[in-house]
Amino acid sequence: INNVYFHKMRIKLAYKIFASFLLLSVAVVILMIVLIQQLTYRIFTEHAANRRLGEFTHLVSELADFYREQGSWKTIDDKSWSELTATHNRQRQARSRRLPFPPPGKPPIEEAPPLVLLDANHDWVAGPEIPFDELAVKPIEAEGRVVGWLGLKIARDFEHDLNLAYFEKQTRAFYITGG
């Protein structure tokens, strides 16, 4: 009789150990999926901001020329910064309209992105005051050294449907492959 009782208890213990390992495994997989998705989302939004910042190479060149002439950023005020960025936004939009094949779907509404000018030490000079860790930045070089940074706020929501569609497609592929 004692042997039967021990055998039943042993089976129950085996089920408990199996259930605990199964539960732990499921929890680890769910945690991995959440962390990987969050990391992917963060990397993708930073990539999108850096790519969009690449559209402002003319502005970076003009700012480098300005710094060479003036020797500092002290003469840039809010009005001159607004005029400078507005001019470059119009030029950038005019270039994007000349694409031979426009992207499918409705055209995105182009808003002027919040551009920020920072000095070489990452201190704010012009534009909206956005913390440095929320910016994608492009160096402004003059005389062989970095004299400032052009920053663009990293949008944690997608600017238009194409970025959102791409990210959703990648997420579906991730889940289908067993991620």
Side-chain angles (χ1 to χ4, degrees):
I1 239 172
N2 208 6
N3 206 9
V4 173
Y5 178 72
F6 180 72
H7 183 66
K8 284 183 181 179
M9 197 164 103
R10 188 172 173 189
I11 291 174
K12 287 183 182 178
L13 182 61
Y15 283 139
K16 288 178 184 178
I17 292 172
F18 173 76
S20 63
F21 275 117
L22 180 64
L23 187 61
L24 181 63
S25 298
V26 169
V28 167
V29 167
I30 289 171
L31 181 64
M32 284 175 49
I33 287 172
V34 168
L35 290 176
I36 289 172
Q37 181 151 11
Q38 291 299 316
L39 181 62
T40 303
Y41 182 78
R42 188 173 142 245
I43 290 170
F44 181 76
T45 54
E46 289 174 6
H47 170 74
N50 281 322
R51 186 176 168 117
R52 190 164 187 198
L53 189 58
E55 299 171 4
F56 292 95
T57 52
H58 294 295
L59 179 58
V60 170
S61 297
E62 193 168 322
L63 288 168
D65 292 341
F66 175 88
Y67 190 89
R68 275 189 219 87
E69 292 171 9
Q70 301 294 322
S72 75
W73 299 116
K74 291 179 183 176
T75 57
I76 290 188
D77 59 1
D78 288 338
K79 184 180 179 191
S80 62
W81 179 251
S82 295
E83 290 171 359
L84 186 64
T85 56
T87 300
H88 280 275
N89 276 322
R90 284 192 298 275
Q91 292 171 351
R92 186 179 58 81
Q93 288 174 355
R95 282 192 300 273
S96 69
R97 284 190 201 110
R98 289 183 285 185
L99 291 173
F101 301 102
K106 64 179 184 178
I109 298 170
E110 277 289 324
E111 294 179 13
L115 294 171
V116 180
L117 177 62
L118 305 171
D119 67 9
N121 298 321
H122 303 149
D123 294 325
W124 177 86
V125 175
E129 292 190 46
I130 300 170
F132 184 76
D133 60 338
E134 295 179 19
L135 295 172
V137 293
K138 189 172 186 84
I140 302 168
E141 296 180 5
E143 299 155 5
R145 63 187 177 96
V146 175
V147 295
W149 301 88
L150 179 64
L152 173 69
K153 182 168 176 44
I154 298 171
R156 295 296 179 201
D157 55 340
F158 295 104
E159 290 117 19
H160 53 75
D161 296 337
L162 291 177
N163 284 341
L164 180 60
Y166 176 79
F167 186 74
E168 286 176 349
K169 183 179 176 183
Q170 294 298 359
T171 301
R172 274 194 306 277
F174 173 72
Y175 287 129
I176 289 171
T177 58

